[in-house]
């Protein structure tokens, strides 16, 4: 079994979906999470606060610079993630596809390096 990271990519600009649509999306995400757990593939998941709440630590010579905000400005950011345990990449891609359908957002699937 390998571990895979499913990264949910959110837009950094624009308005969030209206409340009724967001409620539907959150129900879909809850169902996705339930199915992951029932299949024994769920390891950990979490949503993140917006990029403006981030602090970036950057090595510079013998020091580490601390700055508020994300490492780079972009049109998209990491909004949340799920770690799954699967037999292979095909199984992880299937969970990634389901995550994209549930969240209505792009999902990047990446294996952990061991």
């Amino acid at each position: 079994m390998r571990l895979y990271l499913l990264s949910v990519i959110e837009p950094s600009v624009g308005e969030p979906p209206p409340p009724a649509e967001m409620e539907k999306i959150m129900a879909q995400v809850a169902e996705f999470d339930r199915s992951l757990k029932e299949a024994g593939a769920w390891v950990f998941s979490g949503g993140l606060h917006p990029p403006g709440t981030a602090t970036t630590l950057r090595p510079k010579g013998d020091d580490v610079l601390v700055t508020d905000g994300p490492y780079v400005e972009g049109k998209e950011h990491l909004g949340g993630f799920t770690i799954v345990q699967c037999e292979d990449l095909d199984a992880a891609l299937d969970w990634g596809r389901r995550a994209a359908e549930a969240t209505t957002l792009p999902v990047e699937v990446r294996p952990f390096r061991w």
Side-chain angles (χ1 to χ4, degrees):
M1 294 281 228
R2 293 198 62 181
L3 294 177
Y4 294 86
L5 176 67
L6 310 182
S7 300
V8 178
I9 310 302
E10 292 186 6
S12 294
V13 295
E15 295 296 317
E21 188 177 338
M22 186 59 84
E23 188 174 313
K24 179 182 174 192
I25 291 169
M26 294 313 293
Q28 292 170 178
V29 170
E31 175 60 25
F32 169 74
D33 287 345
R34 185 194 59 71
S35 63
L36 258 180
K37 290 174 182 175
E38 282 183 359
W42 183 86
V43 176
F44 183 81
S45 60
L48 300 171
H49 287 282
T53 64
T55 302
T56 300
L57 305 161
R58 186 176 292 118
K60 180 126 181 163
D62 292 336
D63 200 7
V64 175
L65 301 177
V66 179
T67 57
D68 291 335
Y71 176 67
V72 293
E73 293 292 327
K75 294 181 181 178
E76 299 177 321
H77 63 271
L78 179 63
F81 63 92
T82 299
I83 298 171
V84 296
Q85 182 172 305
C86 302
E87 285 293 327
D88 55 28
L89 178 60
D90 288 337
L93 290 173
D94 183 54
W95 286 115
R97 187 175 299 107
R98 294 181 197 187
E101 291 170 349
T103 63
T104 70
L105 294 168
V107 172
E108 176 186 299
V109 177
R110 189 183 302 189
F112 278 84
R113 189 181 316 177
W114 293 101

